[in-house]
Amino acid sequence: MANRQQTIMGVIAGIIVVAGGGWLVFSHRHAAPATGPISKVHTVSTPKSSTGGPTSAPLMMPVSGKLMSSFGWQYSGALNEWYYNPGITIAAQANQPVRAAWSGTVTQVTQEPHMGLTVTVADGDGFETVYGHLGKATVKAGDQVQQGQAIGTVGGSSLYSRQAGPHLDFQVYHGATATNPMNYLHPSS
């Protein structure tokens, strides 16, 4: 499921053309990127778990760093375009360990054009976490990981990356729907 299909086909003069013929109009207003230390986030909302599985625990931030891009629609002044970020982007030191945000099973370790080396973990209760732009992966498909266990290291940008320098793209999916990782964080993350 890490190979998500983007439904956006293009942005033309403020109109988003969506697969299936739909469209949405918006203004080209500059949105300031979310910045600041991630350790200051105090939102806690854990996904409901009827089984007491791994997602019944709050999400752990996978890496220490600076939040460079938040979840949802973003405007890139450098590229003069709008884009949808299905997760968050965290600037971090190269080769810093990336840790599993929840316990689960590694389902894929792949090389993606837009996210570079990527690890996907099935966390239970229909949730998946995706870690992109890794320098190296220290796990393989089928491995069981515990929350906080190192799964790889921070790498650099990929060819199509919107963020320069070493960083982690971190995404949380419930089924096929991207959800904001910040909604599940433990207050100490």
Side-chain angles (χ1 to χ4, degrees), residues 40-52:
K40 299 295 182 193
V41 174
H42 294 290
T43 302
V44 176
S45 173
T46 58
K48 304 294 183 221
S49 171
S50 59
T51 62

Side-chain angles (χ1 to χ4, degrees), residues 5-10 16-24:
Q5 294 283 333
Q6 287 188 334
T7 58
I8 303 304
M9 301 305 290
I16 300 174
V17 181
V18 181
W23 54 276
L24 173 67

Side-chain angles (χ1 to χ4, degrees), residues 24-42:
L24 173 67
V25 178
F26 62 93
S27 66
H28 284 275
R29 174 173 66 96
H30 290 277
T35 59
I38 292 173
S39 62
K40 299 295 182 193
V41 174
H42 294 290

Side-chain angles (χ1 to χ4, degrees), residues 130-161:
V130 180
Y131 310 81
H133 295 292
L134 298 177
K136 69 177 180 178
T138 56
V139 293
K140 62 184 180 316
D143 285 354
Q144 297 291 316
V145 295
Q146 298 302 311
Q147 186 177 39
Q149 177 182 336
I151 60 168
T153 62
V154 173
S157 299
S158 67
L159 179 61
Y160 302 108
S161 181

Side-chain angles (χ1 to χ4, degrees), residues 60 91 115 127 136-137 161:
M60 183 183 122
M115 285 182 50
F127 283 88
K136 69 177 180 178
S161 181

